[in-house]
Every structure is written in structure tokens, then in C-alpha cells.
Amino acid sequence: MHGTNRLLQALSPRVREQLLAGARSVALPQRYLLTQSSEVTHDVYFLTRGVASFVIALREGESAEIGMVGNEGMVGSHCLLGSYAPVANCVMQIAGAGFRLPASDMKRLFDESAEVRHRVLQGTQQQLLTVSQIAACNRLHNAAERLARWLLTAADRAEADILPLTQESAAQMLGVRRTTVALTAGSLQRSGLIRYQRGQVHIVDRAGLTAVACDCYRITRAMVDCLYSIP
């Protein structure tokens, strides 16, 4: 398995080995469902590669992404804080790999180890703050700003400038129509910022795309960059 997980790396070697003793290395294909809304979470995940999205799906058939996670944290931390089931699905947006650990084992370590608790809560706080920022972004910023923000965030998590992305999945992430995605992506492409074809987006001009993106990109990236900086 290639790559590392920043939360795991922030733990001391002894505690990290203790956590990984009960974990299993797994491949995580695109569209793999990590946690499901309204369902009990049985496993937590530490991504080492790939990108997962937290997506709210409404009864009316509409959906929108409220957060994203890569190798900086864990999926399933909500089950450590109480008995409520998640309200969002967490699905692999870009295929990758990671470690899967039974939630019961993670809860035991969380309760017993102040170090594990400290690091997990740092990552959980970042996720909660990001959800708040993206909620405002989805309401207040236009499609071009939001698509630019999404592409840059996904590229940061994937550590790549070529991303698998269909118009349908982009529409679901941003909570807009496919025609809106087509028009917006077309505009970014004509400006020389991206190249979009056959379900793939290639970021050609990162600086230019950053200029188009709303300030939410800078804010959420800064939160991820400073994760685990406090001992």
C-alpha cells in the first residue's frame, strides 16, 4: 500500500502500532460506501490514498457535498462521540486505499488513550468547521467559484492534477443541474484553466483556478494544513 495517513503519523509509534494491530489494509474503489446515512457505523477508515465525500441526499432526489476527506483524517469519527447515526453518506469519490478498523476497537482506544482522543478530536473539529464553511459556500457562492474550489480541494487530497469527474457526479456534489456544470466547466476550459474530456478534469492553470475559486478554498485548506501541529 502506498501513502500514509496524517492522523496515524501524528500518533506516537507505540500507540500507532496498537491501533493498527486490529486494522486491515483495504482497497477502496470509486463509489465504495464507507458510511451510510441513518445506519449504524460498524467500521472506521483511515485513508492513505484517494478522496471520500460526505454527501447529503434528500428525499426529493437532490444531493450536495458537505465535506471531503483524504489522508489527513479518519472516516467514522461521529460514532465515537455518541449514538446518533450519520446524516450523510461517505463515499469514495476518487479510488484509493486505507486501513479499516472495527468501530468497537476504535471506541475502546478512544476511551482509553488520551493521545488517541486528542488527535481524533483535532481531525473531527476540522471536519465540523469545514462542514460549516461549505454550508455557507453552497448557499452564497456561484457555480464557477464552487466548482473551482471543489477541483482544487480534490486535487490537494488526491495529490494529483488529473481527477476523474463526470458532469453527473459534479452536479451531485455541488447541488446544481448537469447543464450548469457543463456551462461552468466549459467556461473554465475556454479560459485555459482546466481541460475536461471523457470524464476527466486536468487542472492546467492552478494559480488561475485559485483566483476563480471562492475564499472558502483558502480557509478550508488552511485548516487542513495546520492539522496536528499542536502536540
Side-chain angles (χ1 to χ4, degrees):
M1 177 181 297
H2 301 289
T4 58
N5 178 276
R6 287 180 57 198
L7 192 158
L8 294 179
Q9 291 302 309
L11 297 172
S12 63
R14 178 185 62 83
V15 172
R16 182 167 61 250
E17 289 176 9
Q18 184 181 7
L19 189 153
L20 290 176
R24 179 182 177 185
S25 176
V26 291
L28 299 171
Q30 190 178 31
R31 301 303 177 193
Y32 183 85
L33 193 62
L34 301 172
T35 63
Q36 187 167 357
S37 65
S38 304
E39 297 289 337
V40 175
T41 298
H42 297 290
D43 299 292
V44 300
Y45 294 84
F46 298 88
L47 273 61
T48 56
R49 290 188 292 108
V51 180
S53 293
F54 297 99
V55 182
I56 294 283
L58 303 179
R59 290 182 179 179
E60 295 83 355
E62 297 178 326
S63 64
E65 183 189 76
I66 59 169
M68 189 183 293
V69 62
N71 69 356
E72 79 280 1
M74 67 175 284
V75 175
S77 59
H78 62 273
C79 72
L80 307 177
L81 307 179
S83 58
Y84 282 107
V87 297
N89 293 327
C90 186
V91 60
M92 291 299 295
Q93 193 67 236
I94 298 175
F99 295 100
R100 180 172 64 205
L101 180 69
S104 56
D105 289 357
M106 189 65 209
K107 183 65 165 66
R108 176 179 54 80
L109 290 168
F110 182 81
D111 290 341
E112 294 177 355
S113 171
E115 182 184 348
V116 169
R117 199 158 52 246
H118 172 59
R119 293 307 187 188
V120 168
L121 289 177
Q122 282 183 315
T124 302
Q125 182 186 47
Q126 175 267 320
Q127 289 182 1
L128 291 173
L129 292 173
T130 297
V131 167
S132 300
Q133 190 69 38
I134 299 307
C137 183
N138 287 340
R139 174 64 179 86
L140 300 173
H141 295 146
N142 64 43
E145 292 172 321
R146 290 160 57 202
L147 180 57
R149 183 260 302 164
W150 192 95
L151 291 172
L152 290 164
T153 303
D156 289 345
R157 298 295 198 282
E159 298 180 345
D161 282 338
I162 300 179
L163 308 169
L165 184 68
T166 64
Q167 290 183 4
E168 181 179 2
S169 61
Q172 291 174 343
M173 294 302 101
L174 299 178
V176 298
R177 298 179 184 276
R178 285 184 61 179
T179 51
T180 301
V181 172
L183 290 171
T184 304
S187 176
L188 295 178
Q189 183 164 250
R190 287 190 296 275
S191 298
L193 305 180
I194 65 171
R195 186 163 60 248
Y196 179 63
Q197 60 182 358
R198 297 181 180 178
Q200 281 194 333
V201 174
H202 181 190
I203 297 176
V204 178
D205 182 353
R206 174 174 273 270
L209 195 63
T210 302
V212 171
C214 54
D215 204 38
C216 298
Y217 169 64
R218 180 189 60 80
I219 293 170
T220 55
R221 173 165 179 165
M223 286 190 286
V224 172
D225 286 347
C226 70
L227 258 179
Y228 316 120
S229 60
I230 300 175

